[in-house]
Amino acid sequence: MTTAPLLLGARLLAAGLFLVAGCAKLLGRAETASAAEQLGLPRRAAALTAAALPGVELALAAGLIVGGTARPAAGAVLVLSLGFAALNVKARSRGHRPSCHCFGELLQLHAGYGIAVLDAVIAAVAALVLGFGPGSAVPAHGPWGALLALGALGCAAAPISARLLTAIRDLRRRCGNLEARLRTLETAAGLGADGASPVGGPEAGAPAPDLDVLDAQALTRTLRPRASRDLLLLFLEPGCAPCERVLAEAGAWQRTARDRLTLWFVYGASAQAAARAAAEYGLDDVYAQSGRRAAESYRVPGTPSGVLIDADGRVAVPLVAGYGAVRDLVQGYLPPRSPGADGARERNRTASANGGIG
């Protein structure tokens, strides 16, 4: 049995993978740069990689398709795949599993041994073509040529379609957030003057639901709201002015009330945006959420909102909404202020009465 058709299939398989990967990275250069940086490259090198890698992968895909250049292209694919595998093994050995963005939005894969094995398989295919030749030729016309053209078109269209689907999902998420914000504004009309009236969520004494969130490496985690002290769970959104006020003060809250109160932040944005907010405001325990899964488990009508959970994992104070309500919950855990600060505090309370909910 001749191996020519097998060699042809091997190089076309590798070409298809590189074609999809190149198109996907071309449509998501910022994400590619972020993934390269998380894999250990310096920022400038990561930016150059994101700019050059899509073109390199597309050129290698074309080189594998054309019989006359298949062997040199296979050699380059072999070196590149082994390099990718080494980066993934290095990242996994250090305990990191960032999104590798290998195939863009088409497949959400994380760096690790699994991706290293895939790279090793591609390297083996490239070594096969490099050692034994390209196999059967691909005629420019006829059924094989038409099938190859359709396959290439499908591979190129796949990441574009995935990108469009991602944009549609993001638009739906934004519409959902806007609807929640509108519901919150409606709820605000029923709040007390101090903004501390409960607005929903689990009742006092009920077990606090677990949280499905994303950490700084965009990895999914399930958090059980347990701490050695009381826990204040805060739900915030980017672009929300009262949420920004909470974030601006939260760093001081964490430092001052650390021995009595733990603060967790669920930020309704991407993991990268949550990490930037944590760095900007000097906060610990800032998590992102996929869609509104965490907020929905607590029936959060809008942001900023907070729920106080005791050390046994039960709701101590049901969900409250508004900057003033959140601030009042925290004030009970802060050291008493000096008498001279009372007037300023009262003035701040009065000034924030209309800034409740964004």
Side-chain angles (χ1 to χ4, degrees):
M1 179 180 176
T2 178
T3 59
L6 294 178
L7 291 169
L8 172 63
R11 67 184 174 94
L12 290 184
L13 173 63
L17 289 173
F18 269 73
L19 183 60
V20 173
C23 289
K25 291 183 179 70
L26 194 63
L27 293 170
R29 289 176 55 182
E31 293 84 354
T32 302
S34 175
E37 192 172 347
Q38 292 182 55
L39 283 171
L41 294 181
R43 178 168 296 182
R44 185 178 295 275
L48 291 175
T49 298
L53 190 56
V56 170
E57 291 184 335
L58 291 175
L60 291 177
L64 286 169
I65 292 174
V66 179
T69 58
R71 265 185 163 160
V77 168
L78 175 63
V79 173
L80 194 61
S81 299
L82 291 177
F84 287 159
L87 283 175
N88 278 276
V89 170
K90 182 180 178 181
R92 189 67 183 90
S93 65
R94 292 181 174 180
H96 302 313
R97 292 199 64 201
S99 175
C100 72
H101 203 71
C102 305
F103 298 98
E105 301 294 339
L106 192 62
L107 287 174
Q108 295 293 336
L109 302 175
H110 294 281
Y113 298 133
I115 300 299
V117 170
L118 175 60
D119 290 327
V121 170
I122 296 175
V125 170
L128 190 67
V129 175
L130 182 63
F132 295 96
S136 301
V138 178
H141 306 287
W144 279 105
L147 287 175
L148 182 60
L150 288 175
L153 181 62
C155 289
I160 298 175
S161 302
R163 193 74 173 183
L164 289 174
L165 289 175
T166 301
I168 292 172
R169 286 198 299 267
D170 183 63
L171 180 61
R172 292 180 62 183
R173 181 184 65 82
R174 291 175 181 271
C175 289
N177 291 343
L178 178 60
E179 182 182 0
R181 296 275 294 278
L182 290 174
R183 288 200 305 267
T184 304
L185 290 174
E186 294 172 354
T187 305
L191 295 176
D194 61 355
S197 301
V199 297
E203 298 179 353
D210 292 346
L211 292 160
D212 291 325
V213 295
L214 303 175
D215 62 16
Q217 284 75 43
L219 301 179
T220 301
R221 295 181 58 184
T222 298
L223 301 179
R224 300 190 66 194
R226 303 287 189 275
S228 58
R229 58 191 68 86
D230 288 352
L231 168 67
L232 179 57
L233 183 59
L234 295 173
F235 295 90
L236 308 170
E237 292 280 351
C240 158
C243 297
E244 296 297 328
R245 298 180 66 184
V246 170
L247 288 170
E249 296 187 33
W253 292 347
Q254 277 193 331
R255 291 189 298 272
T256 307
R258 187 180 299 275
D259 294 336
R260 303 181 61 197
L261 180 68
T262 298
L263 295 175
W264 285 359
F265 305 87
V266 178
Y267 202 53
S270 65
Q272 291 84 356
R276 286 195 298 269
E280 179 180 355
Y281 294 103
L283 303 176
D284 302 323
D285 299 315
V286 180
Y287 304 98
Q289 58 177 331
S290 178
R292 283 181 50 83
R293 292 180 62 182
E296 287 172 355
S297 65
Y298 279 80
R299 302 195 297 277
V300 175
T303 55
S305 295
V307 57
L308 188 64
I309 301 168
D310 63 25
D312 295 325
R314 295 186 176 275
V315 175
V317 177
L319 194 72
V320 297
Y323 163 78
V326 169
R327 180 204 57 203
D328 288 346
L329 279 178
V330 177
Q331 289 294 341
Y333 293 87
L334 300 180
R337 297 195 178 195
S338 62
D342 291 340
R345 180 181 177 186
E346 185 60 33
R347 288 193 298 272
N348 290 338
R349 182 189 296 274
T350 303
S352 66
N354 294 326
I357 304 170

